[in-house]
Structures are given as structure tokens and as C-alpha cells.
Amino acid sequence: MKKFLVAIMAVLFSAPSFAQYSSGGFNLSESSVYYGIRLGINFATLTGDAPDLGTKTGLNFGGTVGLRLSDTAPVFLESGLYYTGCGASKDKNSISLNYLELPILIKYGVQLNDDIAILPFIGPTFRYGLFGGKWKTSGAGKVDSFGDGKFKRADMGIKLGCGAEYNKLYAELGYQFGITNIADWQVANGDDASAHNGAFFFNVGVNF
């Protein structure tokens, strides 16, 4: 957690170096393309037939690019690539699911004053499982989360929340829930199991 807080401070203090980019940020009065970097934290869970574990804290970081879609309304299309950590954890039992994530979000900008804008958003997000995730149990050791017939790598969900920008500094809070069944095993009666990702997230960053 200490390293995470240090990384957030590094992102925030790097913001002045982007001030020279006059095209940056959410300028709601004109068409624009913007870019951004994001760093944050996930509070992830698993629902369905996955083991009844608690919330797992995971890292969330990546880069974004956005485009204004309308000359008459502050509507933006934003995408990018993220690393995002999901799963669940309780005591000595944990499931780590590491993903490469591609969100496709629609944002609507509301200019509060010359410096501050708020941007609610919603859209689908597509994830693919990466190496390194482990399913750990206190009695049976650990196995690869995406191997050994445990979890499927491909996942799709819905991401929604609200962001705020102040002089190119950006913060957002939201929730993402999986709509794809990622379980790759069967329950006791032989039926296919069901498991879905879910996570509250908080990110900070800069737009330029």
C-alpha cells in the first residue's frame, strides 16, 4: 500500500509537465482529442459459485485516449488499455485474476466553472487474463487461476461511474461488474459453475 501511495503522488506531481499541451483536458467548448494516464485501486469480489471470499485489493493502471463525438454536445468516446487486478481474498485463501482490460466508455461532460468539469460515464469493458494469477488455499497450496480448469481468460463487463477534472488533474470513482461467466469447472451435481467479477475502483491521473 505504501508503494501504491507513492506512485499516486508521482502521478499528481507530474501534472505540471503536461500544462504545455494546449489541446489537453476536457475543453467542453470545442472538438478535441485528449490523452491520459490513470493509476488507481480496485476493491474486487467474485459472485456466483466461486468460493465465498471477501474483498481483494488490486492495482489498476493504464493509458487512455478520448475523442469528442459531437460539435453541439459535450459527449466523448474514451478507450485505452489497463492492467487491472481482480479476484477475492479472505484469511489465507485468495483468488488473484490479472487482466489486460479494454474499456469503451461514453462520457458526458458538465462544466462547473472554468477549471472544473464532471464526467459521468458508462460502457462495456473487455478483459483477457494474464499470467501470474494464483488460486491459493490454506490446505491445498496454490494453482494457476487460469489453468487447471479454474477460470476462463476472456471476460466482459459493464463499467460505470463519474470522473472529475481540475486543471488537467483527473479522478474517478465507479463500479464494474462482469456479465461473462468466467468459471471453468462444474458444481457437485455436474452442472457448469457460475462466477462473475465485480469491483469498485478509484483512479487518479492527468489528461493532456
Side-chain angles (χ1 to χ4, degrees), residues 17-25 168 207-208:
S17 66
F18 296 110
Q20 59 183 311
Y21 294 93
S22 61
S23 63
K168 303 184 186 299
N207 292 325
F208 54 95

Side-chain angles (χ1 to χ4, degrees), residues 28-32 68-75:
L28 303 185
S29 62
E30 63 183 38
S31 299
S32 61
R68 181 164 178 158
L69 298 179
S70 171
D71 293 332
T72 58
V75 179

Side-chain angles (χ1 to χ4, degrees), residues 112-127:
L112 298 184
N113 57 37
D114 290 342
D115 297 318
I116 300 175
I118 60 173
L119 299 116
F121 57 84
I122 188 170
T125 183
F126 304 90
R127 291 185 286 259

Side-chain angles (χ1 to χ4, degrees), residues 51-70:
D52 185 18
L53 302 177
T55 300
K56 181 177 179 59
T57 302
L59 191 62
N60 188 36
F61 63 86
T64 64
V65 59
L67 172 69
R68 181 164 178 158
L69 298 179
S70 171

Side-chain angles (χ1 to χ4, degrees), residues 17 28-29 40 70 78 80 97 99 110 122 175 203:
S17 66
L28 303 185
S29 62
S70 171
E78 181 180 291
L97 302 172
Y99 289 102
V110 179
I122 188 170
Y175 183 76
N203 295 330

Side-chain angles (χ1 to χ4, degrees), residues 82-198:
Y82 288 80
Y83 163 85
T84 183
C86 297
S89 180
K90 185 178 182 180
D91 299 327
K92 295 183 179 180
N93 302 310
S94 68
I95 299 172
S96 297
L97 302 172
N98 303 322
Y99 289 102
L100 182 66
E101 179 181 5
L102 173 71
I104 302 176
L105 306 177
I106 295 294
K107 290 190 169 186
Y108 186 86
V110 179
Q111 194 85 43
L112 298 184
N113 57 37
D114 290 342
D115 297 318
I116 300 175
I118 60 173
L119 299 116
F121 57 84
I122 188 170
T125 183
F126 304 90
R127 291 185 286 259
Y128 189 78
L130 302 175
F131 59 88
K134 299 296 181 182
W135 186 336
K136 301 178 183 178
T137 57
S138 56
K142 59 184 178 180
V143 297
D144 183 354
S145 296
F146 295 117
D148 304 308
K150 299 303 180 181
F151 291 96
K152 302 172 185 176
R153 291 184 182 272
D155 187 27
M156 176 182 176
I158 300 295
K159 195 171 188 177
L160 57 94
C162 188
E165 184 182 359
Y166 173 74
N167 285 339
K168 303 184 186 299
L169 295 179
Y170 180 80
E172 64 183 10
L173 179 68
Y175 183 76
Q176 53 184 349
F177 57 91
I179 59 178
T180 298
N181 178 17
I182 60 171
D184 197 16
W185 72 90
Q186 293 181 327
V187 293
N189 64 5
D191 291 338
D192 290 338
S194 174
H196 298 269
N197 278 308

